[in-house]
């Protein structure tokens, strides 16, 4: 040990420099990071659907490849909808979860997602005349009827003669000379039943009175412009290779979502303020260090969360606040150790050293077991639970760095400056509690 | 709160049988309740639809029922929520059709200017989720036992796991008694508590392990009891301060966090308290019981060994 026992002021200056730098960093872009975080459905409104994927035909097997194909098909459809941040994910062996935040017309979105987009042309007895394989790929367009100016959808057929034969055949069936244009015909469907339904799978059923030898087919349904655009869009996006069955859906109104978020954020601030007050009151000088490291912790969690492109949900906010608890625990464990060492009569400097060292293995063991549990949760959980697990793991890792190393660095600067020597009161230790070594 | 380690004469070990009895009785009641009344499973675990209607002002159940009637729907249950009872939650048994949902949504948009939140689910999804959660916990349990056995010793692991199930079962019992609706975030809460419980127990065990190392010779129950008591007193300030701060956070969520996370935050608060109780009064004491038995057996064995050696 050096003979000179004076106070090393540069360490304290360094402490303030670090704190000022951190404060500047946080003040400069905490709002940017907070604004950039993607919010879950429960916080901004929108809807999610969980689909079960079932094969279209008997000889089809649902495997990973088929599921990825389906996901890309769904993504192509969402492009038609123009949703900004869709989230389509495969879950388990035969599930696909679609989350669309901020969609206004849910009905249209749902129809668009789950339709197989198999177009077929049939006679009134449900005999197949033409199907999607006879059409030119990507040849669907929304346009307007020359005479009525109503929105229509045109598709292009590969062979004009084929369409001529079909129209002749149907024309000769008079008086049942209707050509039914089906979307997603199933074997159990029948023309007579379906045409009566309000929400029919038959898009239109025009009478055929002449032989049409053409490659351009007009579909004149009872469309709005948007509906016609959507239909053209999904026909071009291609048919789904599978059938999708809705097994879970959740939709959140935008105002309810906002309200939930406002409440959770307010609650978070109150909780954190209480923790800060308690730490300052109980740990005195070390409490100040705790408050600084906890603030830095919250900031870093936001930054890391942003980097991961994670989506913040209600359970996520709860996990974040709980993560504050974990960070607090790491601080408390260390400070209690330091107090123990001070009470046993050690000098401030050696109490700090011993306390930091001895608390490390405790914090490490406690955190690793919790991460272990969170990891299992992530691996086996579904989206809501997974989001929570990710948040918990992130929290624990960041809290470990800030509460252990951040706290050690900042407190170390003060302790090693020797300014705190022989001032146990600042650590919340009474003189009377200290036993002689 | 300051606890002077040497001066404080708190004897946790002396009363351990009472704690065991208390917990055992509580959990027996819990198992009986869970297998008879069970939990009030929300829409996430049963088949049906719920619709949360946010009104502009205070509403009554009758008003909400009337509004639903005007679109031809009869909810099976309506509860009011929100600070001023301005949220109505209508539950329907059985999944409503898309058109019914949309008609109701449009109707309430017209009436209150807010789109209702709708969740619908078929029973498979909720059941699967609960099953997956249970499987996850069992797998995590094995992982924790392995980790603790390596870092500590096998019996610490077993005691920690029993405490963990104690805490999980405690929350389930509590929710079975108050019959509050249980949803998917509730599962997240139970899993958090499991994480917290293990965290808390490990911190206590860590101190016991450290004090065990300081002892020159541990002969039997007396020595072990002294070590456990000393360790618990030494970590008491930390245990109380930590649970207090975490309860501050969870409590703020419970009081100010709103309807959406009420179940979640209540489960957290109850679980956190149970977790601290079990680390102090159940986990450490169980370890003491196990360890005493192990020591006795070891002594018995070494005695046998000596005898057989002397015979030979």
């Amino acid at each position: 040990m050096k003979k000179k026992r004076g106070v090393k002021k540069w360490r304290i200056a360094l402490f303030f420099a670090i704190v000022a730098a951190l404060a500047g960093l946080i003040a400069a872009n905490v709002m940017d990071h907070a604004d950039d975080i993607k919010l879950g459905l429960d916080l901004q409104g929108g809807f999610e659907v969980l689909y079960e994927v079932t094969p279209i035909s008997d000889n089809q097997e649902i495997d990973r490849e088929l599921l990825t194909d389906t996901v890309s098909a769904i993504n192509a459809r969402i492009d038609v909808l123009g949703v900004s941040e869709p989230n389509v994910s495969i879950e388990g062996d035969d599930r696909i979860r679609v989350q669309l935040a901020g969609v206004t017309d849910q009905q249209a979105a749902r129809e668009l997602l789950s339709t197989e987009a198999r177009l077929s042309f049939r006679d009134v007895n449900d005999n197949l005349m033409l199907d999607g394989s006879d059409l030119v790929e990507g040849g669907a367009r929304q346009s307007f009827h020359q005479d009525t100016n109503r929105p229509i959808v045109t598709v292009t057929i590969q062979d004009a003669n084929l369409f001529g034969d079909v129209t002749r055949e149907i024309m000769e069936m008079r008086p049942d000379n209707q050509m039914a244009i089906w979307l997603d015909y199933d074997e159990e469907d029948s023309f007579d039943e379906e045409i009566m339904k309000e929400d029919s799978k038959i898009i239109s059923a025009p009478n055929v009175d002449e032989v049409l030898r053409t490659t351009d087919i007009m579909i004149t349904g009872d469309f709005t412009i948007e509906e016609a655009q959507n239909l053209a869009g999904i026909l071009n996006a291609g048919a789904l290779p599978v059938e999708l069955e809705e097994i879970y859906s959740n939709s959140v109104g935008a105002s309810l979502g906002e309200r939930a978020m406002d409440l959770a954020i307010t609650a978070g601030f109150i909780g954190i303020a209480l923790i800060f007050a308690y730490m300052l009151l109980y740990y005195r000088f070390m409490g100040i260090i705790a408050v600084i490291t906890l603030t830095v912790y919250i900031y870093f969690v936001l930054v890391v969360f942003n980097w991961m492109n994670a989506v913040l949900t209600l359970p996520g906010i709860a996990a974040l606040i709980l993560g504050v608890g974990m960070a607090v625990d790491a601080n408390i464990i260390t400070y209690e150790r330091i107090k123990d060492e001070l009470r046993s009569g050690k000098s401030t400097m050696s109490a700090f050293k011993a306390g930091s060292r001895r608390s490390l293995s405790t914090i490490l063991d406690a955190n690793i077991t919790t991460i272990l549990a969170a990891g299992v949760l992530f691996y086996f959980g579904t989206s809501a639970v997974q989001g929570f697990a990710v948040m918990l793991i992130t929290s624990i890792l960041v809290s470990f760095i800030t509460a252990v190393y951040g706290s050690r660095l900042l407190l170390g600067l003060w302790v090693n400056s020797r300014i705190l020597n022989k001032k146990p009161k600042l650590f919340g230790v009474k003189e009377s509690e200290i036993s002689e070594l | 709160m300051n606890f002077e380690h040497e001066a404080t004469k708190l004897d946790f070990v002396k009363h351990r049988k009472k704690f065991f009895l208390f917990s055992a009785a509580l959990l027996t009641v819990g198992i009986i309740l869970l297998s008879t009344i069970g939990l009030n499973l929300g829409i996430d675990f049963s088949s049906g639809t719920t619709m949360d209607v946010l009104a502009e002002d205070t509403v009554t159940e009758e008003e909400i029922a009337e509004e639903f009637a005007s679109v031809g729907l009869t909810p099976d249950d309506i509860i009011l929520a929100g600070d001023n009872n301005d949220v109505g939650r209508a539950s329907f048994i059985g999944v409503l059709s898309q058109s019914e949902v949309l008609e109701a949504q449009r109707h309430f948009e017209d009436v209150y200017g807010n789109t209702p939140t709708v969740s619908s689910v078929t029973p498979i999804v909720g059941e699967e989720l609960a099953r997956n959660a249970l499987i996850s916990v069992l797998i995590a349990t094995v992982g924790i036992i392995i980790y603790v056995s390596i870092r500590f010793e096998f019996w610490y692991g077993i005691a920690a796991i029993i405490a963990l199930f104690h805490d999980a079962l405690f929350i389930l019992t509590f929710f079975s008694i108050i019959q509050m609706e249980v949803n998917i975030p509730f599962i997240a809460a139970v899993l958090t508590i499991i994480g917290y419980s293990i965290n808390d127990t490990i911190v206590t065990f860590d101190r016991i392990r450290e004090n065990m190392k300081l002892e020159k010779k541990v002969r039997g129950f007396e020595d072990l009891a002294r070590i456990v008591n000393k360790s618990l007193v030494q970590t008491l300030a930390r245990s109380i301060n930590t649970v207090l701060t975490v309860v501050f956070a969870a409590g703020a969520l419970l009081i100010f966090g709103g309807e959406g996370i009420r179940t979640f935050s209540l489960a957290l608060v109850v679980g956190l308290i149970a977790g601290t109780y079990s680390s102090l009064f159940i986990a450490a004491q169980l370890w003491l019981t196990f360890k005493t038995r192990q020591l006795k057996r070891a002594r018995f064995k070494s005695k046998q060994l000596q005898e057989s050696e002397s015979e030979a």
Side-chain angles (χ1 to χ4, degrees):
Chain A
M1 200 170 279
K2 284 178 191 169
K3 272 182 185 169
K4 202 181 159 205
R5 291 230 154 217
V7 172
K8 292 184 174 172
K9 282 186 184 143
W10 66 271
R11 284 183 192 267
I12 296 169
L14 185 59
F15 169 86
F16 282 111
I18 292 173
V19 172
L22 286 171
L25 181 70
I26 293 173
N29 64 9
V30 69
M31 287 326 287
D32 293 343
H33 282 293
D35 289 342
D36 278 352
I37 286 182
K38 273 191 240 160
L39 299 176
L41 286 170
D42 48 358
L43 298 179
Q44 67 156 320
F47 83 106
E48 74 178 317
V49 188
L50 184 62
Y51 290 112
E52 191 163 271
V53 177
T54 49
I56 292 178
S57 57
D58 292 337
N59 52 16
Q60 194 181 27
E61 213 179 301
I62 305 289
D63 55 16
R64 197 77 193 166
E65 203 183 329
L66 191 60
L67 285 173
T68 359
D69 288 348
T70 311
V71 168
S72 13
I74 291 174
N75 272 320
R77 287 169 180 211
I78 294 172
D79 285 342
V80 175
L81 274 174
V83 175
S84 55
E85 277 173 11
N87 183 7
V88 184
S89 54
I90 298 173
E91 257 175 40
D93 299 327
D94 58 351
R95 303 272 171 84
I96 291 176
R97 188 182 292 270
V98 179
Q99 294 175 307
L100 302 178
V103 169
T104 42
D105 191 350
Q106 295 189 9
Q107 169 83 358
R110 268 185 171 154
E111 275 175 9
L112 206 63
L113 284 178
S114 61
T115 174
E116 290 145 43
R118 280 182 297 118
L119 202 61
S120 62
F121 298 76
R122 290 166 194 272
D123 64 15
V124 291
N125 301 318
D126 304 327
N127 294 314
L128 179 66
M129 312 304 280
L130 290 172
D131 66 18
S133 60
D134 298 314
L135 301 175
V136 173
E137 224 170 283
R141 253 174 338 111
Q142 184 266 321
S143 66
F144 295 94
H145 196 281
Q146 290 166 321
D147 306 328
T148 59
N149 228 2
R150 297 196 49 155
I152 56 166
V153 176
T154 62
V155 291
T156 314
I157 201 158
Q158 286 169 353
D159 184 354
N161 285 327
L162 185 64
F163 193 58
D165 294 346
V166 167
T167 45
R168 177 184 302 126
E169 209 175 309
I170 290 183
M171 189 182 76
E172 282 165 1
M173 287 174 77
R174 229 186 301 245
D176 290 331
N177 57 339
Q178 280 170 302
M179 181 166 72
I181 304 173
W182 286 79
L183 197 63
D184 299 344
Y185 173 84
D186 272 328
E187 274 170 36
E188 60 264 30
D189 288 332
S190 83
F191 177 79
D192 296 328
E193 272 177 40
E194 199 68 25
I195 199 78
M196 304 301 288
K197 286 185 190 163
E198 201 177 305
D199 188 22
S200 172
K201 285 185 187 174
I202 299 172
I203 309 168
S204 72
N207 283 326
V208 180
D209 294 317
E210 55 183 321
V211 176
L212 297 165
R213 210 164 288 282
T214 171
T215 52
D216 292 319
I217 307 177
M218 282 193 294
I219 304 175
T220 52
D222 186 18
F223 301 128
T224 62
I225 295 182
E226 207 186 0
E227 280 168 351
Q229 274 172 347
N230 283 348
L231 181 59
I234 42 170
L235 288 177
N236 284 336
L240 275 189
V242 292
E243 211 167 306
L244 296 179
E245 199 185 321
E246 206 174 279
I247 53 171
Y248 170 88
S249 74
N250 181 22
S251 90
V252 179
S255 33
L256 264 176
E258 265 168 40
R259 202 169 98 127
M261 182 167 72
D262 287 347
L263 285 172
I265 288 176
T266 313
F269 275 120
I270 295 171
I272 290 167
L274 283 171
I275 291 175
F276 281 3
Y278 187 83
M279 292 300 281
L280 287 173
L281 212 75
Y282 194 90
Y283 290 105
R284 315 286 169 90
F285 183 76
M286 293 189 292
I288 299 173
I289 305 287
V291 169
I292 295 170
T293 59
L294 286 173
T295 311
V296 173
Y297 155 80
I298 294 168
Y299 171 73
F300 279 148
V301 162
L302 285 179
V303 173
V304 172
F305 214 54
N306 238 355
W307 282 345
M308 297 195 308
N309 261 327
V311 178
L312 192 63
T313 57
L314 272 184
I317 289 185
L320 176 72
I321 294 165
L322 198 79
V324 176
M326 303 279 291
V328 173
D329 188 44
N331 274 317
I332 290 179
I333 291 172
T334 311
Y335 299 163
E336 282 298 327
R337 277 290 187 170
I338 294 175
K339 283 170 83 171
D340 281 351
E341 304 293 341
L342 282 172
R343 286 195 194 109
S344 75
K346 282 194 181 140
S347 75
T348 309
M349 280 166 84
S350 54
F352 166 73
K353 225 179 244 168
S356 301
R357 186 170 45 76
R358 298 175 82 174
S359 60
L360 185 66
S361 84
T362 312
I363 299 170
L364 206 60
D365 279 331
N367 283 358
I368 287 175
T369 39
T370 312
I371 286 186
L372 203 71
V376 173
L377 225 69
F378 177 75
Y379 194 76
F380 293 96
T382 49
S383 68
V385 174
Q386 270 186 339
F388 177 75
V390 168
M391 199 71 205
L392 199 60
I393 294 172
T394 313
S395 298
I396 295 172
L397 292 177
V398 177
S399 84
F400 189 78
I401 294 165
T402 56
V404 174
Y405 293 103
S407 210
R408 216 185 251 197
L409 171 75
L410 294 179
L411 192 57
L413 286 174
W414 281 93
V415 169
N416 293 324
S417 77
R418 299 194 182 126
I419 200 169
L420 299 177
N421 281 356
K422 307 211 165 109
K423 284 170 189 154
K425 261 191 192 157
L426 282 173
F427 293 86
V429 176
K430 289 184 199 126
E431 303 269 2
S432 60
E433 290 171 348
I434 298 171
S435 52
E436 294 299 318
L437 257 185
Chain B
M1 267 156 285
N2 278 316
F3 297 96
E4 288 173 59
H5 303 161
E6 304 309 324
T8 315
K9 290 274 179 277
L10 282 171
D11 195 348
F12 292 96
V13 173
K14 204 169 115 193
H15 302 286
R16 73 186 187 290
K17 284 191 176 134
K18 286 176 202 157
F19 297 125
F20 287 159
L21 208 65
F22 171 71
S23 284
L26 201 80
L27 297 181
T28 315
V29 171
I31 289 167
I32 293 169
L33 279 176
L34 284 170
S35 52
T36 51
I37 321 171
L39 293 166
N40 177 7
L41 295 179
I43 202 75
D44 295 340
F45 301 101
S46 52
S47 188
T49 304
T50 56
M51 230 182 265
D52 284 353
V53 180
L54 174 63
E56 282 150 341
D57 214 338
T58 307
V59 284
T60 61
E61 286 171 30
E62 288 76 28
E63 272 174 54
I64 300 275
E66 266 172 43
E67 295 296 344
F68 273 107
S70 70
V71 287
L73 293 174
T74 322
D76 295 292
D77 184 32
I78 296 178
I79 52 167
L80 295 178
D83 295 337
N84 313 308
N85 280 344
D86 54 355
V87 177
R89 163 170 286 196
S91 313
F92 299 88
I93 296 168
V95 178
L96 294 181
S97 74
Q98 257 187 43
S99 58
E100 283 175 313
V101 166
L102 279 149
E103 201 182 333
Q105 280 191 323
R106 287 201 186 113
H107 177 75
F108 281 104
E109 250 169 61
D110 291 342
V111 179
Y112 297 125
N114 293 310
T115 318
T117 294
V118 180
S119 322
S120 70
V121 73
T122 51
I124 352 160
V125 180
E127 277 167 25
E128 253 181 28
L129 197 101
R131 198 178 54 229
N132 279 348
L134 189 69
I135 294 171
S136 317
V137 171
L138 292 178
I139 294 169
T141 301
V142 176
I144 290 167
I145 292 182
I146 293 171
Y147 181 80
V148 175
S149 298
I150 295 169
R151 288 283 293 156
F152 292 73
E153 191 184 80
F154 179 68
W155 289 114
Y156 286 102
I158 295 296
I161 293 304
I162 294 176
L164 178 159
F165 280 106
H166 170 275
D167 299 340
L169 199 55
F170 190 92
I171 313 177
L172 291 177
T173 305
F174 182 81
F175 274 79
S176 178
I177 293 171
I178 65 166
Q179 285 290 305
M180 193 167 164
E181 200 177 271
V182 165
N183 51 13
I184 288 177
F186 174 79
I187 293 187
V190 174
L191 296 169
T192 315
I193 291 311
I194 287 171
Y196 176 82
S197 166
I198 203 80
N199 190 59
D200 204 37
T201 309
I202 293 298
V203 172
T204 315
F205 280 177
D206 195 68
R207 192 59 80 104
I208 296 180
R209 175 179 63 173
E210 190 184 315
N211 286 330
M212 282 287 281
K213 276 187 201 149
L214 296 177
E215 293 288 319
K216 286 195 186 74
K217 192 137 178 93
V218 182
R219 276 172 224 284
F221 179 78
E222 295 300 315
D223 294 331
L224 287 171
R226 189 168 38 77
I227 292 168
V228 168
N229 263 336
K230 185 169 128 195
S231 308
L232 288 180
V233 173
Q234 281 175 348
T235 50
L236 197 56
R238 174 262 155 198
S239 300
I240 291 172
N241 285 345
T242 295
V243 76
L244 269 181
T245 47
V246 191
V247 165
F248 285 159
L253 277 184
L254 177 64
I255 298 166
F256 307 105
E259 281 308 309
I261 44 174
R262 185 132 303 165
T263 310
F264 179 89
S265 34
L266 182 62
L268 277 186
V269 172
V270 174
L272 289 171
I273 295 165
T276 306
Y277 160 81
S278 75
S279 318
L280 288 174
F281 302 117
I282 302 293
Q285 323 286 350
L286 273 176
W287 176 81
L288 170 66
T289 313
F290 293 148
K291 192 71 187 172
T292 311
R293 235 177 249 168
Q294 191 204 8
L295 281 182
K296 265 187 198 154
R297 217 174 298 148
R299 217 167 9 186
F300 183 66
K301 255 190 201 156
S302 65
K303 221 185 218 172
Q304 270 188 329
L305 205 69
Q306 276 173 358
E307 277 166 16
S308 60
E309 267 170 8
S310 61
E311 271 170 33

